[in-house]
Amino acid sequence: MWEYTDKVNDHFRNPRNVGAVENPDGDGLAGSLACGDALRLTFKLGDDKRIAEAKFQTFGCASAIASSSALTIMLMGKTIEEAERITNKQIIEFLGDLPKQKVHCSVMGREALEAAIYNYRTGKTLDRQLDGEVICHCFGITDKALEGFVRDQKLTTAEGVTNACKAGGGCGQCIPEIEEIINRVMGEEKAKTDTKPKLTQLQKIKLIEETIDREIRPILRRDGGDLELHDVNGDQVYVKFVGACVSCPVSSVTLKDVVETQLREAVSDDIVVEAV
Ligand code: FES
């Protein structure tokens, strides 16, 4: 029996926005019935080009239903550009938590959103299976998709990959190839790190300030937020959120997924960011 948060239970028992939007602007499908989970997400924009209606139809477990319900609420009132920045981690954060074996349900929500936005922009249906070579035949997951999961979610084990997207969780024959992909991606990421120059503390602070100005601040300002650099102690960076970020319910996710990730990419993999 899985341990669910109260919020997951609530969204499973009383799912919001079930069904399909009439004449949707975006219509996306993720998962497949053959794999035991499928999600269709539809949305419609209002005159102000913000999402005015979002609905889902899902075939899956309690976590899939709760993740889909949460996603529709998170989408309301967002522009397309804001919506496409929603990550599966933010869906988990919204729900309080998900058992690690159920993380793939939040990933399915993120994928349905990508498919619906693709449909809105192109009028076409996103077909992930055409992109790359199928590695996990039980769940129809390609090498490119696996590489994306490993890179984006910094996965280091085959078990982590199975939790994120189910690959490897059927017959298990693809696990050696999944491990090869993990090793290759980890090697590439390490090579990137090794090429970063050693910085003095003064150079580090300057680069942190530049990265905040160039990469981070524009993202936060689009949602009415911002941050100030408070202090730097070694690799520990202290920031203070201001504006809309102060009351944002997912600011802790923004701190890690946006601020820390950007600073690690630009400055050092050892950077740890904390809010004051
Ligand atoms: S081929 Fe991946 S679990 Fe069977």
Side-chain angles (χ1 to χ4, degrees), residues 136-138 168-172 174:
C136 179
H137 294 273
C138 290
C171 69
C174 59

Side-chain angles (χ1 to χ4, degrees), residues 34 97 123 147 170 187 216 261 271 276:
D97 203 3
E147 204 177 302
I216 301 171
T261 301
I271 293 281
V276 294

